[in-house]
Amino acid sequence: MTVPVALTIAGSDSGGGAGIQADLKTFEAHGVYGTSVLTLITAQNTRGVQAAHPLPPELVAAQLRSVLDDFPVAAVKTGALGNAALIRVVADALRGRHLPLVVDPVMLAKSGDALLDASALHALRDELLPLATLVTPNVPEWAVLRAAGVPDTTPLLLKGGHAPGETVTDELRAHGHHLALRAARQHTRHTHGTGCTLSAAITANLARGLALPDAVRAAHAYLQAAIRAAPGLGAGHGPLGHRAAGLTLQPTPHPT
């Protein structure tokens, strides 16, 4: 049996709670082989981002060629991309491949530190988002994207964690599907990497052949379990428990 392969294109979190590290842990938890392309390096822990350094575009392009030319990648996600040049390199590598693409438009770390420079918004809008199967912004990120001219027809999972109330609602509006996913708010400081983890879980489920609504439902449930299973590390916003207890994978659909 061939193991499904997913690709994450994102930044490194030296604390292991978000970015490439969280994505690869999530892929592994879903029985998916994870490949990765690094876009920027951060000095980061649960308290914040102490430094961030985007990699040269030619090195990111070389990583993309290495992975895509050798591995049967079934789905891709992007996280922190840093700047317009890197966004264009990623879009150029993915254009025409027709792979399921989940774009997590990472602009800020949980601490509020910037992970995308202001000049990159137009490149994100014009180059990458048109390729996306799904875009997964939170409410503040969606407001920024809308202000930059991203259309309402963008396939969207709008994450509701920033809205007030004891119930958190994520809303899927994509490809004719309209779905509200609700969960009781978990009062915890251990929420570092929730956006990365959710988008990675959706990507893993798409790589396994699930339809988009099923991929999103399963990822939403996985995220709630991962928050509950947080190991309690760090003095700030702590990481999740990516090997979440009770994860039950839906069967991988057989090819028709």
Side-chain angles (χ1 to χ4, degrees):
M1 181 180 295
T2 302
V3 177
V5 177
L7 167 62
T8 170
I9 307 168
S12 170
D13 173 2
S14 54
I20 289 278
Q21 289 84 347
D23 293 344
L24 292 176
K25 292 173 189 177
T26 301
F27 291 167
E28 183 71 18
H30 284 78
V32 170
Y33 183 83
T35 59
S36 61
V37 167
L38 196 62
T39 57
L40 66 153
I41 298 171
T42 70
Q44 185 175 173
N45 55 27
T46 66
R47 294 188 178 99
V49 179
Q50 291 77 47
H53 181 70
L55 295 182
E58 59 271 19
L59 179 55
V60 174
Q63 292 178 77
L64 285 160
R65 287 193 299 271
S66 291
V67 173
L68 293 171
D69 289 350
D70 191 38
F71 290 87
V73 173
V76 182
K77 70 149 287 188
T78 63
L81 298 177
N83 57 45
L86 294 181
I87 290 171
R88 293 189 182 100
V89 163
V90 171
D92 287 346
L94 297 179
R95 193 175 290 111
R97 290 183 179 270
H98 307 295
L99 292 168
L101 171 62
V102 178
V103 175
D104 184 9
V106 178
M107 300 175 189
L108 298 173
K110 185 69 68 179
S111 58
D113 297 285
L115 293 173
L116 184 72
D117 68 36
S119 67
L121 279 175
H122 286 181
L124 188 66
R125 179 195 68 193
D126 298 337
E127 302 284 344
L128 192 61
L129 294 190
L131 306 178
T133 304
L134 188 67
V135 185
T136 63
N138 57 36
V139 171
E141 289 167 342
W142 181 232
V144 172
L145 292 172
R146 286 289 311 283
V150 173
D152 285 334
T153 53
T154 299
L156 194 68
L157 177 66
L158 184 61
K159 299 177 294 191
H162 286 76
E166 291 302 304
T167 299
V168 176
T169 302
D170 296 345
E171 186 178 2
L172 175 67
R173 304 197 303 261
H175 309 290
H177 303 290
H178 195 168
L179 180 66
L181 298 161
R182 298 180 176 88
R185 186 178 299 277
Q186 299 189 52
H187 293 280
T188 174
R189 63 181 177 86
H190 299 291
T191 56
H192 184 51
T194 49
C196 302
T197 298
L198 178 62
S199 58
I202 295 169
T203 306
N205 287 326
L206 291 174
R208 297 179 62 249
L210 272 64
L212 182 63
D214 295 330
V216 171
R217 284 191 193 95
H220 182 266
Y222 169 74
L223 177 62
Q224 304 310 311
I227 295 171
R228 289 192 296 270
L233 299 173
H237 296 288
L240 310 184
H242 291 93
R243 294 186 64 180
L247 174 62
T248 302
L249 296 178
Q250 296 189 33
T252 302
H254 293 291
T256 55

